[in-house]
Structures are given as structure tokens and as C-alpha cells.
Amino acid sequence: QEQLTESGGGLVQPGGSLRLACVASPSIFGINAMGWYRQTPGNQRELVARIYDEGRTVYADSVKGRFTISRDIAANALYMQMNSLKFEDTAVYYCRAQGTATWDRAFDYWGQGTQVTVSS
């Protein structure tokens, strides 16, 4: 069964750090891009960071210089190091994997989400 499993969320004080991880099940292959998104109540899910197969990365302006996305292709895993966390980073963070599988079947998988709360 294809699934993405996130971990690493939690409660942290402003200025603190967290590292999120997302592991794709072995049945997911042909990934072209992976990303982290976040959502707060009443708002749309928004892109936080994205990484492509060739290593190119994209960041939301609000997290540039504070968050770093990385990927371990061999492990089918995605990470995001979050430093200098702010109150406004509080959200549910979701992992996303997009790509093309056998028979050129496009896929777009989401994880179940992990809560990040920044509070003093």
C-alpha cells in the first residue's frame, strides 16, 4: 500500500528547532518531486518547501533562511530542518510526493500530517 509517514512534529519554544521526516513506502517509486506543506484552521494548505529530482529547491518566502529541505533518494525519505521557529510556523505539516509510476501513471500522495506548535 502506497503511503507517506511523517514524524518529528511537536511543541517547541520560539527560536527553537525541529526536524520533520517523511518516509515513503517501498511501493512508491518514480518520485519526481517531494515537498512539505502546512495548513492552519480555516486556511488553505500552503507550500513550505519543495525539492525536485535534480536537487533544485523552492522555499516559501516566510521560511527562507530558516528551513532546509533535503531528500534521501535511496531511503525514499524526505526531511526538513526547521530552525528559528516562530509562532506563525504553528500548523499541521504535510508531506507530498509526486511522480510517474509504471505505464506513465501519474501519482500524487499526501501524508497524514504532523502537528508543529510553537509556543512559549
Side-chain angles (χ1 to χ4, degrees):
Q1 181 178 357
E2 295 83 8
Q3 64 180 9
L4 302 176
T5 304
E6 299 123 330
S7 62
L11 174 64
V12 64
Q13 292 185 338
S17 298
L18 283 174
R19 184 172 187 256
L20 303 184
C22 170
V23 179
S25 57
S27 57
I28 298 178
F29 59 92
I31 296 175
N32 298 325
M34 297 188 77
W36 290 101
Y37 294 71
R38 66 187 181 188
Q39 189 171 22
T40 53
N43 293 306
Q44 289 188 336
R45 198 169 295 185
E46 63 176 9
L47 172 69
V48 178
R50 186 175 172 88
I51 185 167
Y52 295 86
D53 257 1
E54 69 274 20
R56 181 171 62 94
T57 57
V58 175
Y59 292 94
D61 287 342
S62 59
V63 306
K64 283 181 181 177
R66 300 188 297 121
F67 291 9
T68 303
I69 190 171
S70 60
R71 184 179 166 196
D72 184 338
I73 295 177
N76 236 13
L78 178 73
Y79 306 97
M80 186 162 70
Q81 179 66 40
M82 305 188 296
N83 298 328
S84 302
L85 282 161
K86 304 177 180 180
F87 292 119
E88 52 264 41
D89 294 318
T90 296
V92 177
Y93 285 71
Y94 296 90
C95 174
R96 183 182 190 185
Q98 296 171 282
T100 305
T102 309
W103 309 115
D104 290 333
R105 178 179 62 85
F107 60 83
D108 186 356
Y109 298 120
W110 291 87
Q112 81 286 352
T114 185
Q115 176 71 46
V116 171
T117 302
V118 183
S119 175
S120 56

